[in-house]
Amino acid sequence: MSVIEVDRYYHTGIVVADVDWTITFLRDVLGFEFLDKSPRDPKNQEFVTGVQGIEVMIAYMRLQDQLFEISQYGGRLELAHYKPRMVDVGHYHLCLMVDDVDGAVQKCLAYDERITTLSPSPLVVDSGPNKGNKVIVVVLPDGMMIEFTNTRNG
């Protein structure tokens, strides 16, 4: 069996509790470029998701050459809110390379008191391809995790 020929990686999509909060955080703190925010036809969303009675607001943002799709669902049904731990199946996180890991974390923590970190301080990776990199993970109010790292000994 041959592999699927992928033309290019298009976007990463996430579901958030508050699309407006997420847009503002990503734009004002992390420098993402806001591209669009608009609702989608509920019938189309029902078709795509297989969930009846669903409504969605979708925003698109870009960081460098990466496109990010941010969805907030609503409608007539109650939605489940999952906040998997980093070790749980289904967990995902963004990883952003920055010059100043400590400074990035401080800016996030200062933005909203609900933002936390998984560890009290960054760790210097001791093995593997990221050996020497400093890493730490921040957790946004709806559970989205962002790992900040830097280049070796940076």
Side-chain angles (χ1 to χ4, degrees):
M1 177 184 213
S2 63
V3 299
I4 296 171
E5 188 174 320
V6 176
D7 294 328
R8 70 182 175 108
Y9 180 90
Y10 186 58
H11 73 257
T12 298
I14 63 163
V15 176
V16 298
D18 185 339
V19 72
D20 292 318
W21 186 97
T22 304
I23 288 168
T24 304
F25 173 81
L26 293 176
R27 183 192 63 220
D28 295 353
V29 178
L30 300 180
F32 278 61
E33 175 188 2
F34 174 77
L35 301 174
D36 180 71
K37 181 182 110 176
S38 55
R40 299 299 189 268
D41 183 311
K43 290 187 187 320
N44 291 343
Q45 286 309 116
E46 288 177 0
F47 180 82
V48 169
T49 65
V51 178
Q52 299 299 307
I54 199 72
E55 297 172 1
V56 68
M57 181 65 70
I58 298 179
Y60 282 92
M61 300 188 80
R62 180 175 32 234
L63 182 64
Q64 298 163 356
D65 63 345
Q66 298 298 311
L67 192 60
F68 204 49
E69 178 187 80
I70 306 157
S71 302
Q72 179 181 343
Y73 285 94
R76 301 183 304 266
L77 59 132
E78 184 149 337
L79 302 172
H81 291 259
Y82 298 103
K83 291 186 179 183
R85 299 170 300 167
M86 189 165 230
V87 298
D88 292 332
V89 174
H91 159 79
Y92 71 90
H93 68 275
L94 303 178
C95 183
L96 303 176
M97 182 76 66
V98 296
D99 289 333
D100 181 2
V101 170
D102 298 300
V105 170
Q106 290 309 312
K107 285 182 181 176
C108 291
L109 295 176
Y111 181 77
D112 189 316
E113 65 186 19
R114 299 172 297 161
I115 295 174
T116 61
T117 61
L118 291 182
S119 58
S121 62
L123 168 83
V124 176
V125 179
D126 64 0
S127 62
N130 296 315
K131 184 176 181 177
N133 288 13
K134 186 186 280 191
V135 299
I136 191 166
V137 177
V138 298
V139 183
L140 303 186
D142 60 5
M144 184 171 120
M145 294 184 194
I146 301 173
E147 175 184 353
F148 288 106
T149 190
N150 63 356
T151 56
R152 292 163 182 72
N153 303 317

